[in-house]
Amino acid sequence: MAKLDILTYPDPRLHKVATPVAVVDDRIRQLVADMAETMYEAPGIGLAATQVDVHERVIVIDVSESRDGLMVFINPEIVWASDNRKVWEEGCLSVPEVYDRVERPDRVKVRALNERGETWEIDADDLLAVCIQHEIDHLDGKVFVEYLSPLKVNRIKSKLQKRVRSRM
Ligand code: K2U
Ligand code: ZN
């Protein structure tokens, strides 16, 4: 397995729209394993392939307390979302040290392929529902800060660009 580098906002590669996986083969299973290792190491509770500069529709998530509940979503689709919406404090491994409130549907039904290429579905609520929507946004080239005000986005961009310059 390998730990992968995570892109940092406002890297333009975070805005690429990921393409569907044509065949769930050993290459995709290796990507899933590397993404899972990267996510657990970060640590985070979700990771989209876009964040590791692989522009294919693959997500890993683990919201379990014991960190042994890996969920794999290949070509995920939200097939239903509740009208009821809820505000959550979100963070992102691609936007370090930034947390802010985002409103999303509080329940979603998601269909995806697993690591064997089989179709599966899940009804998600609470943190899992937030995380799935956050990760599917990544596959669509969207970062959670884009839900915030333009003023906040500009402040975040300049803060993170200063952070990159100071590390050169
Ligand atoms: O996409 C990512 O960067 C992974 C996020 C997933 C996430 C974002 C917002 C809300 C829930 C999950 C990271 O795991 S950010 C770290 C984190 C951990 C626990 C709760 C919230 C954020
Ligand atoms: Zn994120």
Side-chain angles (χ1 to χ4, degrees), residues 53-73:
D53 199 18
V54 174
H55 302 284
E56 297 185 73
R57 302 187 79 80
V58 179
I59 291 169
V60 294
I61 290 177
D62 187 345
V63 293
S64 67
E65 289 288 324
S66 48
R67 309 293 281 156
D68 61 357
L70 183 68
M71 305 172 92
V72 177
F73 298 80

Side-chain angles (χ1 to χ4, degrees), residues 46-48 51 91-95 134-135 138 142-144:
L47 189 69
Q51 293 178 273
C92 182
L93 297 175
S94 294
V95 192
H134 178 109
E135 302 310 338
H138 274 303
K142 187 161 186 160
V143 183
F144 88 99

